Amino acid sequence: SHIMSEYGRMTDTERDQIDQDAQVFMRTCADAIHQLRTEAHRGVLSAQVKEHRTAVLDFIEDYLKRVCKLYSEQRAIRVKRVIDKKRL
């Protein structure tokens, strides 16, 4: 239990770094999805293939949006806790 208490807590600097890395990663993913969307239909003649690729990209984009929303909610909780601590 001593080891867990010593290493179980993250510093605010570590949390800030994770937040920054997460934002960069989410932005990179959104850019990649956008790029895939523009490249997905090049040279494809079949309407069925176009429709399938669009559906897959819509699903991936929706999943990323849900992950971003969850991240934002968790970050808001963290910020609220920090504000509450400062008030005390």
Side-chain angles (χ1 to χ4, degrees), residues 7-88:
Y7 296 106
R9 297 186 183 240
M10 292 176 22
T11 65
D12 286 338
T13 304
E14 291 171 327
R15 285 186 185 96
D16 291 340
Q17 184 63 48
I18 289 172
D19 283 346
Q20 184 179 6
D21 292 346
Q23 288 176 350
V24 169
F25 183 73
M26 288 184 288
R27 208 172 305 119
T28 301
C29 288
D31 291 344
I33 291 169
H34 178 72
Q35 185 177 1
L36 275 172
R37 202 174 280 284
T38 58
E39 293 176 8
H41 304 302
R42 286 189 188 155
V44 177
L45 301 176
S46 169
Q48 185 178 15
V49 171
K50 287 180 183 181
E51 188 175 325
H52 172 74
R53 289 181 179 178
T54 299
V56 169
L57 289 167
D58 288 346
F59 175 76
I60 292 170
E61 189 172 45
D62 181 62
Y63 184 79
L64 179 62
K65 285 178 184 177
R66 287 185 279 139
V67 168
C68 291
K69 182 180 179 207
L70 180 63
Y71 165 76
S72 294
E73 290 168 357
Q74 290 177 343
R75 187 166 182 218
I77 290 169
R78 177 178 163 232
V79 169
K80 184 181 181 305
R81 285 182 183 160
V82 168
I83 291 170
D84 289 347
K85 270 186 186 178
K86 288 183 180 181
R87 284 185 186 164
L88 296 174

